Amino acid sequence: MISKLSRCPLFAQMTADDIGHCLACSRSELVAYEKDQPIFFQQDKPQKLFILVEGSVAICRDTASGQRNRITTISQPGELFGEVFLFLNKQEYDNYAVAVSPSKVLQMPREYLFHSCGKNCDYHTLLISNMLSVLAQKAYYLNQKLQIMASPTLRQKISKILLQNASADGTVALHMNREELADFLNTARPSLSRELMKMQTDGLLKIDGKRIRVLDFEQLQRNL
């Protein structure tokens, strides 16, 4: 487990021993979930930080009609979720989390993230500093998404997210499958697929299976 947690930004610059001490000192627990088993409910009080160790987790919110709206999917070992609500003055979550596949999730008590344990442990201080960096990255990510969602057309939204995630050679690293990208852009998957094919026909990009490569940066920029 420690090797997987070493990828987690919360434990950045920590040794395996440091991570082990953090888990022991914080009394963190590793909890296993079956597919479709809830991890926390919308009405629960935020009391723990969740770190994915194995499997995948969906963060969801139901519409008034009862339809599930998947906000995001946590699928990489070391990914955090539920962290923002720990630092808000809210008594319950705005969404809920459910295991998409059999999963293992590390749960760290909220109190451990707010102050040191009194032993002046360097690893505890570093963990709190890393938590601030995680929250800053989250704020940046949400700002980027806000810029994308402010675009009036689906093509403009796609163009923005491609430009944000494309390397100099045009390779796009989204870390999302087609369904997750559709959820991110708040559109239906067929609509997303149609628009991507139109953009390929127009010579803006090339689709090769799950991979996308930008062919015309200037035209994508003009779409905005």
Side-chain angles (χ1 to χ4, degrees), residues 99-114:
V100 177
S101 61
S103 304
K104 292 182 180 179
V105 177
L106 184 71
Q107 301 184 4
M108 180 176 287
R110 173 183 183 273
E111 292 75 18
Y112 193 71
L113 301 168
F114 278 79

Side-chain angles (χ1 to χ4, degrees), residues 14-115:
M14 289 191 190
T15 66
D17 285 343
D18 289 340
I19 296 173
H21 287 312
C22 277
L23 300 186
C25 186
S26 64
R27 298 182 179 180
S28 298
E29 295 181 314
L30 184 66
V31 182
Y33 294 91
E34 299 297 325
K35 181 180 179 181
D36 297 326
Q37 184 177 355
I39 297 170
F40 61 78
F41 294 97
Q42 197 161 329
Q43 67 270 23
D44 287 348
K45 182 178 180 179
Q47 294 181 317
K48 295 180 180 179
L49 172 68
F50 300 95
I51 306 172
L52 183 69
V53 177
E54 293 180 12
S56 57
V57 172
I59 308 300
C60 307
R61 184 182 300 158
D62 291 343
T63 65
S65 62
Q67 181 179 359
R68 175 179 291 181
N69 179 22
R70 183 180 296 192
I71 299 171
T72 189
T73 300
I74 311 298
S75 58
Q76 299 298 317
E79 278 194 86
L80 307 176
F81 59 101
E83 72 277 12
V84 173
F85 291 95
L86 296 178
F87 297 89
L88 296 175
N89 189 25
K90 293 178 71 69
Q91 294 301 308
E92 59 184 34
Y93 293 102
D94 287 347
N95 44 47
Y96 62 92
V98 60
V100 177
S101 61
S103 304
K104 292 182 180 179
V105 177
L106 184 71
Q107 301 184 4
M108 180 176 287
R110 173 183 183 273
E111 292 75 18
Y112 193 71
L113 301 168
F114 278 79
H115 52 78

Side-chain angles (χ1 to χ4, degrees), residues 13 32-33 100 125 127 132 138 166 172 174 188 206 213 221:
Q13 304 179 56
Y33 294 91
V100 177
T125 302
L127 181 135
L132 293 174
K138 177 75 72 172
V172 179
L174 289 177
K206 180 178 177 57
R213 183 172 181 177
Q221 191 68 43

Side-chain angles (χ1 to χ4, degrees), residues 129-146:
S129 176
N130 287 342
M131 187 73 253
L132 293 174
S133 295
V134 168
L135 293 174
Q137 288 289 337
K138 177 75 72 172
Y140 177 77
Y141 167 83
L142 292 175
N143 181 62
Q144 293 292 91
K145 182 171 183 178
L146 181 62

Side-chain angles (χ1 to χ4, degrees), residues 153-163 172 178 181 185 191-207 212-224:
T153 68
L154 180 55
R155 177 166 291 207
Q156 288 176 323
K157 292 176 182 177
I158 294 172
S159 296
K160 280 189 177 181
I161 197 169
L162 293 180
L163 288 170
V172 179
R178 196 66 57 85
L181 179 58
L185 297 176
S191 299
L192 172 65
S193 296
R194 282 195 299 269
E195 190 59 42
L196 285 172
M197 294 308 297
K198 289 178 183 177
M199 294 174 75
Q200 179 171 254
T201 301
D202 292 343
L204 301 176
L205 50 86
K206 180 178 177 57
I207 302 172
I212 299 176
R213 183 172 181 177
V214 174
L215 300 179
D216 193 333
F217 280 93
E218 291 185 4
Q219 185 58 45
L220 275 187
Q221 191 68 43
R222 283 196 290 269
N223 282 340
L224 308 182

